Amino acid sequence: MSALRIPSPFRFIARLRQLRDDERRQASSNEFLAQALEIEKMEGHRLAVIARTVAMSIVALLLPFLNPSVSVLYYEAWVAVFIALGWLQLRLARVGYSRTELGLIFLDVSLLTLLFVTPNPFFSEDVPTAFIYRFDNFIYFFIFLAAATLAYSWRTVWAIGTWVGMLWLAGFIYVAVFGQKIPELSEAAAIAFEGHSIVGSELDPNSVRPSVRIQEIVVFLIVAAMLALKGWRSNQLLMRQASIAAERANLSRYFPSSLVDVLASTDRDIGAVRTQEVAVLFADIVGFTQFAEHHSPEEVMDLLRQYHAFVERSIFQNGGTLDKYLGDGVMATFGTPETKSGDAGNALKAALQLIDETEALNKDLQARGIEPIKVSVGVHFGPVILGDIGPSRRLEFAVVGDTVNVASRLEASTRELGCKCVVSEELMRRAGLSENASDPGFQFSAKNQIKLRGRETSINVWTV
């Protein structure tokens, strides 16, 4: 039987540091996590200070009942000090490691310890210092610990637990060694409880009652550890939620917001390889290479940003999926990851919206003295293969197949046909528009079969 291995304190501390460093790395690499931590920190701190102020106010009302004398004003003044320290901590609060905040927290528990191990200077009766322990003031540390769980990280909660334990132990030693003693009170207690040694030792006014002090420290550390563990679990939940928010934000770059909610809630494996019929759209800026050659990098990037903005808008407003950007080109699909009855018609609407948005952009470009651009669009409908491809450590959701190739070739054929958009006969048929050719307002016109580069069979097309 192997011996039970108990982690050493140094290994435990090292583990705490590793958890802290892991959280910091995650926060620095995830803007959603950093934002969530900042919001949680400030809201929690504000709530903690309010709770602490209310608790201290209740204590202020309680003190005259416990000590109905003028000397209670000394403790009432300290209550006001602790309330002010709480609001000062809120004013200086910030996300991340702060020496100032930690210093104020340490000052909190240090002053509270000093208050409990030194006599009230306005107390009229001369009593042993150890007698102060009879008031069981240690319980007030739990108010500070509870408030800390609302405002600080689990590491700070545990730090407060250890600080209180060490300070209370130091206070106990101070009282035991240097505290004021009145021997005649011990003698009187011994005489009064003669024959009852246990009762006499417990009620001795000069006794610091070591067993009770150790019990207070141990129980406080246990509670601090449990609250720190609860804080750690809450922090893990917060990080998971922030990761989900980041993933949803990434999804929203490729899918319309309405579809993101569906994808996030579905139990289906979206990345599973399968075949389904979709509409594929390719769009490209004609002559972009020459444009980039004759314009500054700032003008080129400004054009791309405007172009990508209305491309994304045209795709998402018509229920499409932004598959990928190809420099000045873009590939979009309608019917991924889930097919809909209007996918073909939506692809056509997106193509026409792209053309209209390009004309609006050109008016703005001309107003600024920049030559207009021409966007070419190709759309096809048919079966594709889609799913996650690539090595397990770098998966990518991809849509491939002959339909994709045809859509790409249709976009390229706009140069030869001298038009803005080329759409396959199959897509027009699936959209139910091929019979509208005689309509005066119909924007598409049928063309003879064309042969696409790399394909043996010709294809019927419609153009704008």
Side-chain angles (χ1 to χ4, degrees), residues 282 284 286 374-380 405-424 447-453 459-464:
F282 276 86
D284 189 34
V286 180
K374 178 182 177 183
V375 173
S376 59
V377 183
V379 195
H380 184 43
N405 298 333
V406 170
S408 177
R409 299 292 187 268
L410 289 176
E411 182 277 318
S413 67
T414 57
R415 282 75 161 171
E416 302 170 7
L417 298 175
C419 60
K420 300 176 181 179
C421 178
V422 179
V423 180
S424 68
K447 295 291 182 182
N448 295 328
Q449 286 189 344
I450 64 171
K451 188 172 178 56
L452 301 177
R453 180 172 58 86
I459 182 173
N460 293 327
V461 297
W462 295 66
T463 63
V464 175

Side-chain angles (χ1 to χ4, degrees), residues 19 36 39 43 66 85 105 156 169 180 273 282 295 319 345 349 396 418 436:
L19 290 172
I39 293 174
E43 289 183 351
L66 300 175
L85 282 174
I105 296 170
T156 305
L169 180 62
Q180 179 185 1
V273 177
F282 276 86
H295 291 81
K349 292 177 184 177
E396 179 184 356
N436 295 348

Side-chain angles (χ1 to χ4, degrees), residues 128-171:
T129 307
F131 190 71
I132 297 174
Y133 283 131
R134 303 293 178 184
F135 302 146
D136 292 326
N137 290 322
F138 186 82
I139 58 176
Y140 291 103
F141 280 107
F142 286 98
I143 295 177
F144 286 72
L145 182 65
T149 60
L150 297 173
Y152 299 111
S153 69
W154 60 271
R155 296 180 299 275
T156 305
V157 171
W158 174 245
I160 292 173
T162 57
W163 290 344
V164 170
M166 290 186 296
L167 288 169
W168 197 241
L169 180 62

Side-chain angles (χ1 to χ4, degrees), residues 61-74:
L61 297 174
L62 177 66
L63 288 176
F65 172 77
L66 300 175
N67 182 14
S69 66
V70 177
S71 63
V72 76
L73 294 177
Y74 173 73

Side-chain angles (χ1 to χ4, degrees), residues 347-366:
L348 278 180
K349 292 177 184 177
L352 294 175
Q353 185 173 336
L354 273 172
I355 295 172
D356 292 339
E357 296 258 18
T358 302
E359 293 177 356
L361 173 63
N362 283 335
K363 292 179 181 178
D364 178 64
L365 293 176
Q366 289 177 315

